[in-house]
Every structure is written in C-alpha cells, then in structure tokens.
Amino acid sequence: MTPRTDSRQRFLDAAADLFHTQGYHATGVNQLVGAGGAPKGSFYFHFPGGKEQLAAEALVQSAEALRAMLTAALEHGDVDGVFDALGTMLTDSDFQRGCPIATIALDAGGDSEPIREACVTGFESWRTAIEEFLRAKGIPDLRAEELATVALAMLEGGLLLARTRRDLTPLRMVADHLRATLEQELS
C-alpha cells in the first residue's frame, strides 16, 4: 500500500505532466484524480482550492525543476547544454512537452490570478538564473538584466516554434544566435 503522505506529491506530479501536455482547460478533475491514484476526497483534502490550487502548485514544481536544469547547465558555462536538454525534452516526448509554463500561461493565465502569479514566478526564476550566469561572466548588471530577458524570450520562442513544427531547427537557430550574441558581449 502506498503511504498516505505520497498522495499529495502524486497529484502534483500527475498534474504537472497533464497540464504540461494538455493545458489547464483540457485536463479534468476526474483525470487528475485518476492519474494521482488517490480518491477524490484525498484530492480535495490536499488541494482545498481544487484544480486551480493544484495547477498553481504544479507550475511552481515544474518551474523549479526547469530552473535547476538551467542553472546546472549554465554553471558548467554551457549555453548549448541548455538547448540540448530542451531539445531532448521535446524529442523524448514526441514534441508534446515544450515549456512547462507556457501551455498553462496561455490557457488559463488570463483567467486565474493564482495561476498567472505562478507563471510569473516561474519565468522570473529562469530569467534570474540566466542573469546571474551573465553577471558571473562579467556582463554589467543592467546589461545582464536586459540580455537575460531577451535570452528567455528567445528560448521560449524557440521552444514554441520547435514544438509546433515538430522540428528542432528553430531551437538550434536560437541557440546559435544566442551563443553569437554572448560571444560578442564578452569580447
């Protein structure tokens, strides 16, 4: 028998996966309960705010996982490693899993303040990780902030185009352009 304390995390993991691939509105509570492997009462016990609360918490979890991957790749000074990991995520999921935030942000971020705030927090954590990397490379604070925002927008756009086209070429093009930009900034 699965320990009772695991049911909350199972709901979060299932929700993160379902929302990532299907979006918010296409994912029903019954589907979340089934994927979480616990009774509906347990779902509402752990998430009294229902599906909206679960979505916001799952977004935070997904964003943190991607931030950790981003930070680890950047700590090795490897911008290409970030894009390789994102490309692998796309291809391993048959182009079903792009950005873990974008799908929900576009689907429900305008309707739900908790979901919008979770999206903002996630995107900001990624932007901050990129900014810290740039500062560590010697780029001045204001310029690092600007470049981090542009880099995140490029990364998001590359993911979306690659997922939509079912082709990594846009992501590779973004990686090449970002690498050249950084080389120019650091020269």
Side-chain angles (χ1 to χ4, degrees), residues 4-187:
R4 196 178 126 200
T5 56
D6 288 356
S7 62
R8 185 173 207 292
Q9 189 59 51
R10 284 196 321 270
F11 281 127
L12 283 167
D13 293 343
D17 183 55
L18 289 168
F19 291 139
H20 191 168
T21 56
Q22 297 179 176
Y24 181 79
H25 293 298
T27 304
V29 171
N30 289 336
Q31 186 180 23
L32 291 164
V33 168
K40 194 177 262 189
S42 178
F43 171 80
Y44 285 109
F45 172 77
H46 292 297
F47 303 98
K51 180 179 162 183
E52 181 180 49
Q53 178 187 353
L54 176 60
E57 290 187 33
L59 274 169
V60 169
Q61 176 178 296
S62 294
E64 175 57 29
L66 195 103
R67 187 204 57 75
M69 180 278 299
L70 180 66
T71 300
L74 292 175
E75 282 176 354
H76 291 98
D78 191 4
V79 172
D80 289 322
V82 171
F83 288 94
D84 290 344
L86 294 172
T88 298
M89 179 178 64
L90 282 168
T91 56
D92 285 354
S93 69
D94 194 29
F95 291 88
Q96 297 303 303
R97 297 175 65 88
C99 172
I101 295 177
T103 304
I104 297 175
L106 295 171
D107 191 22
D111 302 332
S112 165
E113 189 60 18
I115 290 173
R116 187 194 69 76
E117 288 175 6
C119 293
V120 168
T121 299
F123 282 135
E124 184 58 20
S125 74
W126 301 347
R127 193 202 60 74
T128 299
I130 297 167
E131 182 180 342
E132 289 170 357
F133 165 76
L134 295 171
R135 284 181 176 161
K137 291 288 186 185
I139 295 176
D141 291 353
L142 181 58
R143 186 65 179 149
E145 182 179 346
E146 293 169 350
L147 284 174
T149 300
V150 170
L152 179 58
M154 291 171 64
L155 186 144
E156 282 296 314
L159 275 172
L160 179 60
L161 290 172
R163 182 176 181 192
T164 303
R165 290 172 64 180
R166 300 179 62 77
D167 177 8
L168 294 180
T169 301
L171 198 58
R172 289 186 186 117
M173 293 169 101
V174 167
D176 291 344
H177 186 75
L178 184 58
R179 188 181 332 94
T181 300
L182 292 177
E183 287 171 2
Q184 182 180 359
E185 289 286 332
L186 295 170
S187 64

